[in-house]
Amino acid sequence: MKNTFFFLIVVSLLLLSSCATNTDFLTSPLTFKGVSITSLSNAETEVFTSYDIKSFNGTTGQICFVDEKVGSKLSHYRKLNCYIGTDSIFSVNLTSDVMSSVVNDLVLNSSSSGNYYFADGYPALIQNAGSITLRAQNKTKRANSWALFIAILKTEQKYND
């Protein structure tokens, strides 16, 4: 039942997509393009693709890369946009454990141990009711895109819980 429901969600997303085709979905890897921290424009550079992802843990949010060089490149960017073909599906802010600002949207956090984690905001432990509400709203807004991201990682056998 759960697999059928998940399959129906993925198929619905594909049918409702105005730009992507089923061929794009099946043949295009996820591509993450970054906006440099030194750039005055929003020009993007390809940082990594799903081919560079070794695994993603849906429970902890940890993403592991095939080559550690991918992780070291991330410090040069302030945010990443995730694409399927030419369609942007979500944006993610880059944070680290030494950052002092609050982010209430999706982040890819670089931990002090050198690991990378997707989270719904930074810092993870926040007590402010406004931030908690905003994070929940942002998570809801990107739910379909996130489900597509997970579906592709599952198809590529890179997802585990």
Side-chain angles (χ1 to χ4, degrees), residues 52-132:
D52 298 308
I53 298 172
K54 181 178 181 180
S55 65
F56 175 73
N57 185 307
T59 303
T60 65
Q62 183 176 12
I63 186 169
C64 298
F65 298 105
V66 174
D67 186 342
E68 65 186 43
K69 291 178 185 175
V70 172
S72 64
K73 289 193 295 186
L74 292 175
S75 64
H76 302 290
Y77 300 93
R78 57 185 150 116
K79 80 174 195 176
L80 298 174
N81 294 309
C82 180
Y83 293 89
I84 300 173
T86 58
D87 294 335
S88 176
I89 62 170
F90 62 82
S91 294
V92 58
N93 295 290
L94 295 167
T95 59
S96 69
D97 283 349
V98 297
M99 202 169 118
S100 61
S101 60
V102 174
V103 179
N104 291 317
D105 206 351
L106 184 64
V107 299
L108 179 56
N109 189 62
S110 170
S111 72
S112 56
S113 61
N115 296 322
Y116 295 89
Y117 297 89
F118 280 105
D120 291 318
Y122 178 86
L125 300 173
I126 190 123
Q127 302 299 320
N128 178 309
S131 289
I132 292 169

